[in-house]
Amino acid sequence: MKIAGRHTRSVFLDEQGRVSVFDQRVLPFEIREYPLIDLSSAHDAIMHMVVRGAPLIGITAAFGLALHMRDDPSDKSVFNAADFLKSARPTAVNLAWAVDLMVQHLMALDLNARHEAALERAWQLLEEDVAVNQAIGQLGLELIRKVCAHRGRCHILTHCNAGWLATGDWGTALAPIYMAHDEGLPVHVYADETRPRSQGSLLTAFELHEHGVPVEVIVDNAGGHLMQAGDIDMVIVGTDRVAANGDVANKIGTYLKALAAKDNNIPFYVACPLSTIDHEIKDGCRDIPIEERSQNEVLNAPVLSAGKFSWLPSATSGVGARNPGFDVTPARLVTAIITQKGIVPATTEAIAKLA
Ligand code: MRU
């Protein structure tokens, strides 16, 4: 998609030929490139949220492993690096998925071929992700077309950022929206602010606005009210992990939007690649690991001043805070899951068929 009218992908080569990503901690105020130079820079990028979003976390880890093969291509180093990368963030299953895929690929190769072959596989993974998101977009577009035909518009609520910045390109939840807009359909997006990291107001609003899609930011608690007022026609969100029973983990606050959507008879869609489905986890509400993040994110508000990112107090000093990064929406609240292989109900039977 585009930044300042220029087409770009989430991972690219910088002017010095280094594999790079955008530093999403300073977007949209600054377009800063972050080179992935080795294993630890890729690990840091994931852990400190230079990159975020389940598919992009996986792709970044794949590049981290590939770059590490230049430094030490031995089997032991592959396995150690894989564990290290997987430890960076716990909820998005795409991280382990991408790392395992790379390890399997590397194990079949001679040591001296590993660096180049792994880099090639990582670029391929990026391209595959883009193609998957285009397929998700085409399928989701059909849902938006139907709403527009029926209501003469489609007002969509989304939470966090599941756009191109969270993937190789296009996004998952946002791919159908970009395609609908490009087709001239009257789409309008309500982007939840998504405290505490504000991925909605900073990233979703930015990327949609750059593309010309009408978007309004709302505070996290406004969605229910707008649904009651008849201002929202559907909800589409991304996900970090779908369990075998159809339960869906996504950014904290998603569950409350799903409850409100159910109460207002508004369809609640989840868009994701098959790599986000974890067939090993049978009960998502019980077993999906939820990242507990620092209480500083709750007790402070982020500010970017003179190119430096810092936090300003936003709560009474001395109090503590809880900061779960994700929640799990039970399958019964999910209207359907939009994957590259079709739009399926969030049921054990339908999900098993995708394995
Ligand atoms: O903490 P983040 O910003 O990595 O959380 C991202 C989300 O919750 C996204 O909705 C999810 O990863 C899907 S991205 C296509």
Side-chain angles (χ1 to χ4, degrees):
M1 308 306 285
K2 290 181 214 149
I3 290 188
R6 191 170 66 91
H7 179 265
T8 182
R9 290 252 158 97
S10 297
V11 184
F12 53 91
L13 289 176
D14 73 2
E15 280 182 354
Q16 295 168 54
R18 298 174 299 185
V19 177
S20 300
V21 292
F22 293 108
D23 187 338
Q24 299 193 20
R25 297 168 305 180
V26 296
L27 279 173
F29 306 110
E30 192 187 322
I31 312 296
R32 188 186 294 173
E33 296 182 1
Y34 177 101
L36 301 171
I37 45 180
D38 54 15
L39 176 67
S40 82
S41 65
H43 178 270
D44 278 1
I46 298 168
M47 191 152 112
H48 300 302
M49 295 182 73
V50 171
V51 293
R52 21 68 48 206
L56 186 57
I57 287 173
I59 294 165
T60 303
F63 277 104
L65 197 53
L67 291 163
H68 186 55
M69 292 302 93
R70 181 196 49 208
D71 301 330
D72 180 357
S74 68
D75 285 4
K76 188 164 171 248
S77 124
V78 171
F79 292 124
N80 285 344
D83 287 345
F84 180 54
L85 286 163
K86 283 186 196 178
S87 71
R89 288 190 78 188
T91 303
V93 72
N94 306 63
L95 174 55
W97 173 84
V99 168
D100 289 343
L101 200 96
M102 292 295 288
V103 170
Q104 206 181 6
H105 187 63
L106 286 166
M107 284 304 115
L109 300 169
D110 287 341
L111 297 195
N112 57 11
R114 284 184 176 174
H115 174 49
E116 228 165 274
L119 266 182
E120 200 178 306
R121 186 69 189 95
W123 284 114
Q124 240 176 38
L125 211 64
L126 176 75
E127 291 308 318
E128 286 163 13
D129 182 68
V130 175
V132 161
N133 296 333
Q134 279 173 318
I136 289 172
Q138 287 296 336
L139 288 165
L141 169 61
E142 204 44 53
L143 299 170
I144 297 177
R145 278 192 191 126
K146 280 187 192 144
V147 172
C148 288
H150 185 62
R151 305 192 62 143
R153 65 163 213 204
C154 189
H155 287 189
I156 302 166
L157 176 79
T158 192
H159 192 67
C160 195
N161 172 263
W164 74 264
L165 286 165
T167 65
D169 205 349
W170 290 96
T172 56
L174 298 195
I177 297 172
Y178 283 122
M179 289 182 186
H181 173 78
D182 289 351
E183 195 171 282
L185 293 171
V187 280
H188 180 97
V189 178
Y190 290 108
D192 279 342
E193 179 187 18
T194 320
R195 273 283 289 155
R197 299 288 301 210
S198 305
Q199 291 94 329
S201 52
L202 298 177
L203 305 177
T204 296
F206 166 70
E207 59 166 273
L208 288 170
H209 186 66
E210 286 288 305
H211 196 79
V213 181
V215 55
E216 284 176 298
V217 176
I218 56 173
V219 296
D220 289 323
N221 293 323
H225 168 71
L226 292 184
M227 289 183 201
Q228 282 178 327
D231 282 343
I232 292 171
D233 302 311
M234 69 162 69
V235 181
I236 315 183
V237 295
T239 168
D240 288 75
R241 195 182 299 232
V242 178
N245 68 347
D247 292 348
V248 168
N250 192 46
K251 182 52 56 194
I252 192 75
T254 304
Y255 172 41
L256 288 176
K257 295 301 138 66
L259 281 170
K262 185 77 167 180
D263 195 45
N264 288 280
N265 269 322
I266 292 165
F268 182 92
Y269 294 106
V270 174
C272 70
L274 296 184
S275 52
T276 305
I277 300 176
D278 186 344
H279 296 276
E280 301 299 314
I281 292 208
K282 304 296 172 215
D283 181 331
C285 286
R286 196 188 57 201
D287 294 332
I288 293 178
I290 299 297
E291 179 177 20
E292 277 286 341
R293 297 188 55 81
S294 160
Q295 58 177 357
N296 290 338
E297 292 180 348
V298 180
L299 300 174
N300 298 282
V303 282
L304 185 77
S305 166
K308 274 209 90 54
F309 185 75
S310 60
W311 296 85
L312 278 184
S314 64
T316 301
S317 88
V319 292
R322 281 288 304 277
N323 189 12
F326 298 88
D327 59 26
V328 182
T329 299
R332 67 188 150 76
L333 300 178
V334 176
T335 307
I337 302 177
I338 310 169
T339 76
Q340 71 267 37
K341 293 286 175 210
I343 301 177
V344 300
T347 60
T348 307
E349 300 70 36
I351 287 173
K353 281 194 196 141
L354 296 172

